[in-house]
Amino acid sequence: MLLRALVTAAVALPFAAGAAATPASTAEEGTEVVSFTDPDIVESSGLAVVGGRFVTVNDSGDSGRVFAVDPATGDTVGVTSWTPDPVDVEAVAPAYVDGEAASEVWVGDIGDNRAVRDSVEVLRVPVGWEDATVEPARYELQYADGPRDAESVLVVPGTDQLLVVSKGVLGGSFYAAPEQLVAGQVNVLEPLAPALGVATDAAFFPDGRHLVVRNYGAAAVYTYPGLTEVGSFDLPEQPQGEGIAVDPDDPGAVLLTTEGPRTPVLRVALPADVSAAMAPESPDAGSTDTPDGGADADPAVDPADDGPGWLPWIVGGAGGVVLLVLAVTLARGSRRS
């Protein structure tokens, strides 16, 4: 019994320490907007709003397809499919053409639980109000610092530049793709700054100056391009929350999805303190975070600099390792006796 308890504690400690160290405002429980009615949407992993439709994808194990859903009824109104099947789709984000929103999405085939893929892939896929089979444009991505698991792709509004957020247990990182992706060659993802741990999805706000990253229990809002966290908040309990988008009708709220059959889309208003932190500064206040990344922009944080937000995760992880070593030692001792 002692051995089992120690192993359980070793696994849980990093998560408990990290969660306890993330000061978060309490968000409302969420209002159900609609529920997915399509029995084929069973592992919604990623959410985008395109042309007034909800767009989602199933994660690993599904064929290549995106679902366009009527937000009024929850019914699937169009499925766009392609071949060959992806390795592990985990994300979807709106696409742009000449700075304007397009009837297309970026699909992130970026899942890599064991961090063994030499490169990952994003696809640019049209969405519509009817079923279609397409041959999407494909782009190969490779992390500059080695393979990473990730479930979050987001697009800088009006530019179509992609950001990826890795899903690190001890904290993730933001990565930037080249401003223009090139098909047929490797496009390198460069690290920018630390991000929320265990990130499962992310999205930009319409102002282009802020973005939000979620994990299974909380979300954090960051400036852009400085990528400085301005606030965080708890999310409603969900079976396995892996989708987030900004409500196009109210940028002061986010939309959430989760894995599971016929699950609801929830609308959650940002806490007042987070909204206040996102408010534009007065012209004479000297803004320090400009969307064009000019000289006044916040400097991007080196991912190697853990910062205080990473320390509890590291302490928790170290404690977990100590407990695990102790458990193994006890197990060996019991076998000898």
Side-chain angles (χ1 to χ4, degrees):
M1 294 296 293
L2 176 60
L3 177 60
R4 181 180 299 176
L6 285 170
V7 172
T8 300
V11 173
L13 184 58
F15 292 94
T22 305
S25 303
T26 301
E28 62 182 48
E29 280 305 301
T31 302
E32 182 174 331
V33 176
V34 74
S35 290
F36 294 137
T37 63
D38 191 336
D40 285 344
I41 302 176
V42 292
E43 295 189 1
S44 175
S45 181
L47 179 68
V49 183
V50 178
R53 290 150 281 185
F54 294 152
V55 180
T56 191
V57 291
N58 287 323
D59 68 8
S60 59
D62 198 16
S63 59
R65 56 180 174 170
V66 297
F67 300 85
V69 177
D70 186 334
T73 65
D75 297 339
T76 297
V77 294
V79 178
T80 305
S81 304
W82 65 91
T83 56
D85 293 343
V87 176
D88 187 358
V89 164
E90 294 285 355
V92 62
Y96 295 84
V97 173
D98 296 330
E100 300 295 329
S103 296
E104 297 175 313
V105 291
W106 286 102
V107 174
D109 182 2
I110 58 173
D112 190 10
N113 291 330
R114 296 182 294 126
V116 295
R117 298 176 66 178
D118 290 333
S119 63
V120 294
E121 187 176 60
V122 289
L123 305 91
R124 191 175 176 117
V125 181
V127 294
W129 289 101
E130 57 186 15
D131 294 349
T133 299
V134 300
E135 294 184 9
R138 300 169 177 270
Y139 302 90
E140 184 180 4
L141 305 179
Q142 187 176 76
Y143 296 94
D145 51 359
R148 297 285 186 275
D149 186 28
E151 296 189 4
S152 309
V153 169
L154 61 166
V155 183
V156 181
T159 71
D160 218 26
Q161 183 179 14
L162 302 185
L163 303 183
V164 174
V165 187
S166 64
K167 189 184 181 184
V169 173
L170 300 181
S173 293
F174 290 100
Y175 290 83
E179 292 185 6
Q180 297 292 329
L181 297 179
V182 179
Q185 71 176 45
V186 173
N187 298 272
V188 177
L189 292 167
E190 298 289 351
L192 295 178
L196 182 72
V198 198
T200 59
D201 200 15
F204 263 95
F205 288 88
D207 66 3
R209 297 173 52 249
H210 296 91
L211 57 90
V212 61
V213 181
R214 75 161 294 172
N215 59 25
Y216 296 116
V221 174
Y222 297 82
T223 62
Y224 185 78
L227 297 175
T228 301
E229 183 179 327
V230 299
S232 61
F233 55 99
D234 294 331
L235 297 178
E237 184 175 346
Q238 294 179 295
Q240 191 169 335
E242 295 195 0
I244 193 167
V246 176
D247 188 340
D249 297 322
D250 180 6
V254 292
L255 301 168
L256 308 175
T257 57
T258 180
E259 291 192 6
R262 303 181 187 278
T263 54
V265 179
L266 299 180
R267 179 185 181 277
V268 174
L270 298 178
D273 59 333
V274 176
S275 293
M278 295 171 61
E281 297 182 2
S282 60
D284 57 354
S287 174
T288 60
D289 203 332
T290 57
D292 62 1
D296 293 333
D298 288 349
V301 182
D302 184 347
D305 180 9
D306 295 328
W310 287 47
L311 180 60
W313 288 96
I314 295 172
V315 172
V321 171
V322 171
L323 287 174
L324 194 56
V325 170
L326 179 58
V328 172
T329 302
L330 288 175
R332 289 175 175 171
S334 64
R335 286 198 296 271
R336 293 192 187 100
S337 62

